Amino acid sequence: MIVKTLGRVEYAPTEAAMRAFTEARGPDTEDELWLCEHPPTYTQGLAGQAGHVLNSQGIPVVQTNRGGQVTYHGPGQVVAYPLVDLKRLGIFVKEYVFRLEAAVIQTLEQFGVTGHRVAGAPGIYVRLDDPGAHGALSGPADPSDPFKGLGKIAALGLKVSRHCTYHGAALNVAMDLAPFRGINPCGYAGLETVDLARIGVSTDWPEVARRFGERLQAQLSR
């Protein structure tokens, strides 16, 4: 897998480049992993509902062809775009999602944070009262507040074309979190979004990008 650290790049041309790469690749094209951050941008998935954008605050809202609802990208967030041939890797989409989430969990673990999956809600969450707690989430979620006590620290949004992936995962490091309050993150009203800084981890974008990239490479290599 070729890893490219792009730095801060505009969202729209980056998405167009991912799409062009995927459309042009052949069975022998080497997989790539792009690591970057974007200027403030809201992105809507294919099924995204306009009502989930509460107040765009002048931040551009970009329609995309990934799955999922609205999310926010901004400085201080590591965005990872794995451009992977799933057929060659020998896995299906469900396993791919599991591996992306595993890479996030393993990265967080290196900073003393325990990441959790929530059934039916792709992405990774942390306990707000004790981010390092190792205990698994237990008991049924409160139907009126399924994310009670949790904050979302990483989001997923994917596109698969001819068995090849693009779009990917975003891990929050040290951001201005206020723009998340302008949306229902990933379509969930009231869902709190956090970053590593908010839960007491002092680190920087290059360090998290390096570690996240290493874990993604390990998860997505044959």
Side-chain angles (χ1 to χ4, degrees):
M1 176 179 283
I2 298 170
V3 180
K4 296 181 178 179
T5 302
L6 307 181
R8 188 173 302 179
V9 290
E10 294 287 337
Y11 180 83
T14 307
E15 186 199 24
M18 285 190 290
R19 189 181 310 201
F21 175 91
T22 302
E23 290 175 351
R25 69 179 299 168
D28 298 321
T29 303
E30 192 164 358
D31 291 339
E32 296 192 3
L33 171 63
W34 298 358
L35 300 168
C36 65
E37 63 181 341
H38 296 302
T41 311
Y42 291 123
T43 68
Q44 275 280 28
L46 279 172
Q49 299 176 24
H52 289 311
V53 180
L54 309 176
N55 179 4
S56 66
Q57 309 164 76
I59 296 172
V61 181
V62 179
Q63 184 66 46
T64 77
N65 67 345
R66 63 164 174 79
Q69 296 283 333
V70 65
T71 194
Y72 170 71
H73 295 306
Q77 179 188 67
V78 176
V79 184
Y81 294 131
L83 309 175
V84 176
D85 185 334
L86 296 181
K87 187 174 183 179
R88 189 168 61 198
L89 189 57
I91 63 174
F92 294 100
V93 174
K94 186 175 181 179
E95 174 69 15
Y96 176 63
V97 170
F98 184 89
R99 293 192 188 192
L100 289 185
E101 292 179 336
V104 175
I105 291 169
Q106 291 166 354
T107 303
L108 293 174
E109 187 177 17
Q110 295 179 44
F111 295 98
V113 176
T114 301
H116 299 273
R117 294 180 173 93
V118 173
I124 296 300
Y125 303 78
V126 297
R127 294 180 188 271
L128 297 175
D129 61 346
D130 190 356
H134 291 295
L137 301 181
S138 59
D142 181 348
S144 65
D145 188 3
F147 301 102
K148 186 176 182 179
L150 300 177
K152 189 167 191 174
I153 199 165
L156 271 63
L158 310 175
K159 175 68 176 179
V160 180
S161 174
R162 297 180 294 115
H163 309 289
C164 296
T165 70
Y166 58 109
H167 295 286
L171 175 56
N172 304 334
V173 180
M175 307 177 68
D176 174 6
L177 296 170
F180 284 105
R181 295 195 288 272
I183 59 173
N184 292 329
C186 303
Y188 297 106
L191 172 59
E192 183 168 357
T193 305
V194 298
D195 57 15
L196 286 170
R198 162 77 170 73
I199 57 176
V201 176
S202 178
T203 186
D204 58 20
W205 191 95
E207 181 65 13
V208 178
R210 180 183 67 81
R211 296 190 186 203
F212 191 24
E214 288 173 351
R215 298 324 310 157
L216 284 166
Q217 279 183 280
Q219 287 289 338
L220 299 175
S221 295
R222 285 173 287 175

